Amino acid sequence: MVVSRRLLLALVTLVFSIPTLAISQLETSVDRNPAVEKEYLVLTISADDDVKTGDLDTSPLLKDFIVGRTSVSRSSQTVNFDSRKQTRWQILLAPKHAGTVLIPSLRVNGVESTPIELSVVAAGSQPQQMKNLFIRTSLSSEEAYVGQLIIYRVKLFLAVDLQRGLISAPDLDGAQIKQLGEDVDTTEIFNGRRYRVIERTYGIIADQPGELTIDGTGFSGDVLVQGSRRGGIFSFNESRPMEARAAKSILLINPIPNEYHGEWLVSDLVALNEDWPEETQEYRVGNPITRTISLLAVNTDETSLADIVIPVPQGLKAYPEKPARKTMMRDKQMVSQLTQTLAIVPTKAGQYTLPAITVPWWNPHTRRQEQAMLPARTITVIDSEVAEVNFPQITNSSGTNTADYWPWLSLIFATLWLATLMLWKKSFGQVKQLTANQTDSASTLDTTDAVSSNDSVQRGASPVLRVKQGTRLSTLEAACNEGNPGKILTALQAHYSQQYSRAMSLADIAGLSADLNQAISRLQISAFSKQQTPVDYQMVIEAVKLSKNKKVQQRSSALVDLNPK
């Protein structure tokens, strides 16, 4: 028992007498020397023990380097009962400037590493065929005018696999910049080496004259490269962050020339196109003509295209739609288009000449003002089979698209035309029937109406018989009670066509009295305009009763303003 205790005490003493393993050295190395300014290299630091990750302080590196990600790995090896442990840090560093830069000594648990003197060459001094990643830029012109679109192309050349990355747009003072289209991914052979090329196109428009410096275009991301040693996290495919910057570009911006006249537009080429729906040059009064004019400009932003002024002579009314703008890329050039569509409605017959349309523009290559032009066009308008129409000029002060009125105007034309044909047919049929049944119908006549009819016959008037006032107004009163303006207008035409034994248009009825004119105006507005107007239906009936035996007066228009003030 005593021997066992002495043996245990001896073993404990032996264990505590063995010196504790501790870090004894730090080894440092880099994967490249010389290095390139702002390009990442790998700094490896190895400690001969198992050390906590946070025991390494990397803050001394921040003075001369951009510090990227840090990876830590641990390993343990036993040979002949001899156990060895290792902790390894791999740090991505990018030198901030060229020259001789010292990687300072780093400390772990009181042990310092050996400093490394690093030679850093300036960015761009290394032959590009030796680089794994670089950027090239180009401008469509080294000189431009205020408002002129300059194409700025950025090409990212990659000889390594890209994990993720971002191409940053340059910051510009006194100019607008926006990306045009999507990135294009291709491959190119450059100096005998194949590269993956990612191309991005920007459009730059200067707002003021002077020198414009384009700087700041760059790439930042992660790539995969083949490691320089075997074993470890960076052995075969190393994920390494990389950056690249494009060289500065200086663009000279000229002011607007004093000799230029008109709305300023600078472009490589400007053209005007016209589209007519029909080949014929003869049109009818009241039939709308749709005219579409397109303005095309090469290497010009769509916002630089001013609205097209399209004049029309008297006797024609124009109803323009809101201009449409769009931009497209054609053969690596940006083409902007402005499309202006308007409806031209003839209001009277005759021959009209639509004036020529011109758009001035400045040619930066010839340095002179030019004009895009559409020649004048002559059309012939013939009378329509319906009464001459005076169309109101619909304004768009509220911002509503005037094209919204066309369905209503078309409905008016169709309704008047069909109503006229139907009423003529109905009127002749009623006259024939009433004449044939004159004797049978006499008993239904009012005494006053009968006397008036006999007097009319004696004076040589038409022998057409008229029904009682209550019978004539029954359909009209029913439409008024229903509160349907469209039916009321139709009933008014039927009523007066029967009363006057001929087809009566709304213009004819409105000419009978001021009350009827006002009533028809309110009914048309309520039926066809977006701006609803209340109608006094009792006033309509009273106006009809008071207009009895009125002489028909021809009006110049059967329509009222659909957009009343």
Side-chain angles (χ1 to χ4, degrees):
M1 187 69 176
V2 176
V3 176
S4 298
R5 289 181 178 178
R6 289 179 180 178
L7 181 58
L8 180 60
L9 180 60
L11 291 174
V12 172
T13 304
L14 180 62
V15 170
F16 282 98
S17 64
I18 298 176
T20 304
L21 293 176
I23 179 174
S24 60
Q25 61 178 0
L26 286 177
E27 294 181 357
T28 57
S29 63
V30 292
D31 66 338
R32 282 184 296 164
N33 194 359
V36 181
E37 178 185 6
K38 292 185 178 179
E39 289 191 9
Y40 284 92
L41 57 95
V42 179
L43 170 66
T44 303
I45 303 172
S46 299
D48 58 350
D49 198 3
D50 189 355
V51 183
K52 295 180 180 179
T53 302
D55 289 347
L56 176 64
D57 182 14
T58 60
S59 59
L61 299 171
L62 296 175
K63 178 181 177 182
D64 297 314
F65 296 91
I66 301 172
V67 179
R69 292 196 302 268
T70 300
S71 299
V72 181
S73 62
R74 293 178 174 85
S75 62
S76 178
Q77 185 178 14
T78 302
V79 179
N80 295 328
F81 301 101
D82 184 11
S83 179
R84 295 181 181 180
K85 296 182 180 180
Q86 185 185 54
T87 303
R88 185 170 63 176
W89 292 264
Q90 290 179 308
I91 306 170
L92 296 174
L93 300 179
K96 293 181 179 179
H97 52 82
T100 301
V101 181
L102 185 67
I103 299 178
S105 61
L106 302 177
R107 182 186 295 271
V108 176
N109 295 339
V111 180
E112 293 185 353
S113 65
T114 302
I116 298 177
E117 190 175 88
L118 187 66
S119 178
V120 181
V121 298
S125 61
Q126 184 184 15
Q128 289 190 344
Q129 65 267 26
M130 300 299 296
K131 290 185 176 182
N132 290 327
L133 184 149
F134 60 92
I135 290 179
R136 300 183 71 189
T137 61
S138 63
L139 288 168
S140 60
S141 176
E142 301 293 334
E143 185 177 352
Y145 287 88
V146 171
Q148 180 179 353
L149 178 71
I150 298 298
I151 303 299
Y152 179 64
R153 290 188 174 88
V154 178
K155 284 187 173 183
L156 174 65
F157 288 77
L158 290 162
V160 289
D161 293 332
L162 177 65
Q163 280 191 310
R164 65 188 66 87
L166 174 67
I167 299 177
S168 58
D171 295 327
L172 300 178
D173 293 330
Q176 309 169 31
I177 183 170
K178 68 176 182 179
Q179 183 176 343
L180 305 178
E182 301 293 333
D183 292 346
V184 179
D185 198 334
T186 59
T187 59
E188 290 186 19
I189 302 295
F190 184 80
N191 288 340
R193 189 178 183 185
R194 182 178 296 275
Y195 287 87
R196 176 189 177 188
V197 179
I198 299 175
E199 180 178 350
R200 178 173 295 180
T201 303
Y202 293 98
I204 299 176
I205 300 178
D207 300 327
Q208 54 192 13
E211 282 193 352
L212 179 65
T213 301
I214 304 175
D215 190 17
T217 303
F219 166 81
S220 177
D222 296 330
V223 299
L224 290 175
V225 297
Q226 186 174 0
S228 59
R229 64 174 67 184
R230 297 188 178 276
I233 189 172
F234 291 98
S235 59
F236 189 71
N237 286 326
E238 297 182 0
S239 177
R240 181 179 301 175
M242 297 190 72
E243 286 188 359
R245 290 286 166 183
K248 291 183 180 180
S249 300
I250 297 179
L251 186 61
L252 178 61
I253 306 299
N254 297 318
I256 299 176
N258 296 327
E259 62 268 25
Y260 184 85
H261 300 285
E263 190 79 19
W264 174 247
L265 174 61
V266 55
S267 174
D268 291 346
L269 179 65
V270 177
L272 276 172
N273 296 321
E274 183 181 33
D275 180 31
W276 283 76
E278 301 177 4
E279 295 296 333
T280 178
Q281 298 296 314
E282 191 174 88
Y283 304 91
R284 290 186 178 274
V285 172
N287 291 345
I289 308 168
T290 302
R291 188 183 192 188
T292 301
I293 296 177
S294 298
L295 175 63
L296 295 172
V298 179
N299 289 333
T300 299
D301 187 68
E302 61 183 35
T303 59
S304 301
L305 302 181
D307 293 349
I308 306 174
V309 178
I310 308 176
V312 294
Q314 290 187 352
L316 304 177
K317 293 294 184 180
Y319 299 87
E321 297 183 4
K322 184 178 179 180
R325 290 178 168 85
K326 68 177 182 179
T327 302
M328 64 202 88
M329 295 296 295
R330 296 285 176 83
D331 298 329
K332 295 187 177 181
Q333 290 185 324
M334 190 173 83
V335 179
S336 295
Q337 178 178 336
L338 181 144
T339 303
Q340 177 70 70
T341 301
L342 76 159
I344 301 175
V345 182
T347 59
K348 61 176 63 175
Q351 192 174 63
Y352 300 95
T353 299
L354 302 177
I357 299 175
T358 58
V359 175
W361 61 284
W362 182 262
N363 190 327
H365 305 289
T366 60
R367 296 179 181 270
R368 66 179 184 181
Q369 180 172 347
E370 300 185 17
Q371 285 187 340
M373 185 178 68
L374 279 178
R377 177 185 289 270
T378 301
I379 62 173
T380 301
V381 178
I382 61 176
D383 285 323
S384 177
E385 297 181 7
V386 297
E388 183 179 312
V389 180
N390 239 349
F391 289 92
Q393 181 68 41
I394 301 178
T395 61
N396 197 23
S397 58
S398 63
T400 304
N401 193 338
T402 55
D404 294 339
Y405 288 100
W406 281 110
W408 299 107
L409 292 176
S410 300
L411 179 61
I412 295 174
F413 299 146
T415 303
L416 292 177
W417 179 252
L418 293 175
T420 302
L421 293 177
M422 294 175 63
L423 289 174
W424 271 104
K425 182 177 180 181
K426 182 178 180 181
S427 176
F428 282 114
Q430 290 176 341
V431 169
K432 184 176 180 180
Q433 181 179 0
L434 290 174
T435 304
N437 300 303
Q438 179 175 356
T439 304
D440 296 337
S441 301
S443 60
T444 63
L445 297 178
D446 182 71
T447 304
T448 304
D449 292 339
V451 174
S452 300
S453 177
N454 292 334
D455 294 340
S456 299
V457 172
Q458 293 175 3
R459 291 192 298 268
S462 174
V464 178
L465 301 181
R466 291 175 294 173
V467 297
K468 295 176 65 175
Q469 182 75 11
T471 303
R472 291 196 303 266
L473 291 178
S474 59
T475 304
L476 179 62
E477 289 176 342
C480 290
N481 293 333
E482 185 179 346
N484 189 322
K487 288 185 178 180
I488 297 174
L489 291 173
T490 303
L492 279 173
Q493 287 185 291
H495 168 72
Y496 282 101
S497 295
Q498 184 180 27
Q499 179 176 343
Y500 287 92
S501 302
R502 69 177 182 85
M504 293 284 288
S505 66
L506 293 177
D508 296 335
I509 301 172
L512 295 176
S513 69
D515 292 338
L516 278 175
N517 184 22
Q518 181 180 5
I520 291 175
S521 297
R522 290 184 175 274
L523 287 169
Q524 287 179 318
I525 294 173
S526 179
F528 305 120
S529 175
K530 287 186 175 181
Q531 180 177 349
Q532 298 298 321
T533 302
V535 179
D536 186 351
Y537 298 108
Q538 185 61 35
M539 180 196 72
V540 176
I541 297 176
E542 294 297 330
V544 171
K545 291 180 179 180
L546 293 175
S547 67
K548 181 179 180 182
N549 295 330
K550 290 280 186 177
K551 184 179 179 181
V552 178
Q553 299 177 0
Q554 181 67 33
R555 287 187 65 194
S556 61
S557 175
L559 297 180
V560 296
D561 289 346
L562 299 184
N563 188 22
K565 303 296 182 182

